[in-house]
Amino acid sequence: MKIIDILNKKNMSLSFEVFPPKKESGFESVKTATEEIAACGPAFMSVTYGAGGGTSKYTLDIARNISEKYGVPTLAHLTCVSSSRETVKARIEDMKAAGIKNVMALRGDLTPELEGTDPATWDYRHAVELVRELKESDSDFCIGAACYPEVHPDSPNQKEDILHLKEKVEAGADFLTTQMVFDNNLFFSFLYKLREAGVECPVLPGIMPITNAKQVERAIKLSGSFMPQRFKSLVDYFGSDPDAMKQAGIAYATDQIIDLYANGITNVHVYSMNKPDVAKAIMDNLSSILGKDFGR
Ligand code: FAD
């Protein structure tokens, strides 16, 4: 099933993101965790892709397993910046062979090998080129792309970032998923600017449930996302007690999701970090809301 068809429905839904193992030895435990998350019944699941291509095989294996065993539609991520055109074309063929219908087209982060080299020599510089490649690959992929309510770190300003985002949508991206946001107002003002710029496709807010204090530092470092004082207080107060922190982090994420639904958003993407207990707790918290359309 295509993700865009799910997003065009008016009922409230959740999707979860999982990541593949780095090594063969981690495959079984990741497979089990992703199966348990699939069993919670999300609208779809996305499976990330290692920037250097190291986990590319596992991305497809995990995605295929979830959709075959649980009937949950999957979105396979693919990055391009550190790959040759030949490699990317081969990955696209692998996806077609695996029956993948939905692809998240990403640039990926610059690897140390690329730093200091001339971008003119790279096969891909931006995700828009991968979107075009996917469109040209004679397949009917539904394509997702990334966006940044707090501006991508390489971008000089939000106006330019949104112009390039619009290029990705015009090239064929069917929907956008945001970098994690901890303050819904940042998402809403970003969405307003996208609509003003003529970007009309569905935009999924990305919510990261922070369930341990260490994760906070990592999440901020990776995403550069703003942490509201309300959230910082929660980490200060409960961070030293793992069970309390987990409960508070799940409650905070649930609260964000309810606020998004109550303000017109129908699908929220949750960075579930291969944690079935967290995915299940959030689904349970929303059990009387999910699936309903509330007259929209
Ligand atoms: P782009 O769309 O290429 O944008 C990157 C920067 O280039 C932006 O500043 C943009 O404004 C600018 N830009 C874009 N087009 C042009 C142009 N034509 N000319 C000049 N400037 C331009 N990384 C992984 O390695 N694996 C994953 O699975 C993964 N999943 C992700 C999922 C989501 C939802 C998000 C938000 C990020 C994900 N990432 C993943 C991280 C992502 O690869 C990085 O954030 C990366 O730095 C940018 O990727 P992008 O696709 O947004 O790039």
Side-chain angles (χ1 to χ4, degrees):
M1 185 173 195
K2 287 195 176 178
I3 307 286
I4 190 65
D5 295 331
I6 299 168
L7 301 180
N8 284 336
K9 290 182 186 160
K10 296 292 173 213
N11 44 349
M12 313 295 121
S13 64
L14 273 190
S15 48
F16 289 126
E17 181 162 302
V18 295
F19 54 87
K22 283 207 164 39
K23 294 185 187 145
E24 175 94 51
S25 56
F27 188 80
E28 278 310 313
S29 65
V30 169
K31 188 170 157 228
T32 305
T34 57
E35 286 183 0
E36 287 174 22
I37 294 174
C40 296
F44 72 89
M45 282 168 72
S46 69
V47 188
T48 64
Y49 185 92
T55 56
S56 59
K57 178 181 176 310
Y58 302 129
T59 298
L60 289 195
D61 289 348
I62 296 284
R64 189 163 42 184
N65 181 56
I66 296 164
S67 65
E68 283 177 3
K69 248 187 173 162
Y70 291 87
V72 174
T74 49
L75 170 67
H77 291 206
L78 181 63
T79 65
C80 59
V81 74
S82 56
S83 302
S84 66
R85 198 164 292 278
E86 201 181 23
T87 304
V88 168
K89 280 182 185 289
R91 293 286 167 265
I92 294 174
E93 289 310 310
D94 291 345
M95 286 183 164
K96 285 191 213 164
I100 299 291
K101 302 262 180 290
N102 306 288
V103 182
M104 185 77 175
L106 299 145
R107 183 193 75 173
D109 285 322
L110 303 183
T111 53
E113 300 85 68
L114 286 177
E115 305 275 1
T117 62
D118 180 2
T121 63
W122 306 346
D123 280 0
Y124 299 90
R125 280 181 279 178
H126 299 292
V128 66
E129 295 156 44
L130 178 57
V131 174
R132 293 192 184 115
E133 186 95 58
L134 285 159
K135 276 281 164 199
E136 283 162 14
S137 73
D138 80 326
S139 183
D140 191 23
F141 287 123
C142 167
I143 303 171
C147 63
Y148 304 83
E150 296 172 65
V151 187
H152 186 274
D154 295 354
S155 213
N157 58 59
Q158 190 165 47
K159 199 171 173 195
E160 207 164 299
D161 208 19
I162 290 179
L163 277 178
H164 292 309
L165 191 55
K166 195 174 177 195
E167 283 166 12
K168 282 200 282 198
V169 176
E170 286 169 352
D174 296 291
F175 67 93
L176 301 168
T177 305
T178 76
Q179 179 61 283
M180 59 188 84
V181 279
F182 297 97
D183 179 344
N184 288 353
N185 289 333
L186 291 171
F187 170 77
F188 288 123
S189 68
F190 175 63
L191 187 62
Y192 179 79
K193 286 176 189 164
L194 290 190
R195 299 307 187 222
E196 196 185 25
V199 177
E200 297 295 342
C201 66
V203 184
L204 281 69
I207 300 298
M208 164 82 94
I210 298 280
T211 53
N212 67 67
K214 268 197 217 143
Q215 212 187 332
V216 178
E217 222 173 279
R218 218 171 35 239
I220 298 180
K221 198 169 160 218
L222 274 175
S223 66
S225 302
F226 167 72
M227 291 270 172
Q229 187 54 47
R230 194 165 80 86
F231 186 79
K232 283 189 199 155
S233 304
L234 183 152
V235 179
D236 285 351
Y237 210 79
F238 301 117
S240 59
D241 181 321
D243 290 340
M245 183 61 225
K246 188 168 163 184
Q247 198 165 46
I250 289 169
Y252 187 91
T254 304
D255 188 45
Q256 267 193 287
I257 296 166
I258 291 174
D259 180 54
L260 289 161
Y261 288 153
N263 284 284
I265 303 302
T266 49
N267 190 282
V268 179
H269 193 60
V270 178
Y271 293 105
S272 60
M273 305 295 290
N274 295 3
K275 292 180 182 159
D277 52 341
V278 174
K280 187 171 181 318
I282 293 179
M283 292 293 280
D284 287 348
N285 285 346
L286 300 169
S287 60
S288 297
I289 295 175
L290 290 170
K292 295 184 183 165
D293 68 8
F294 298 97
R296 280 193 189 150

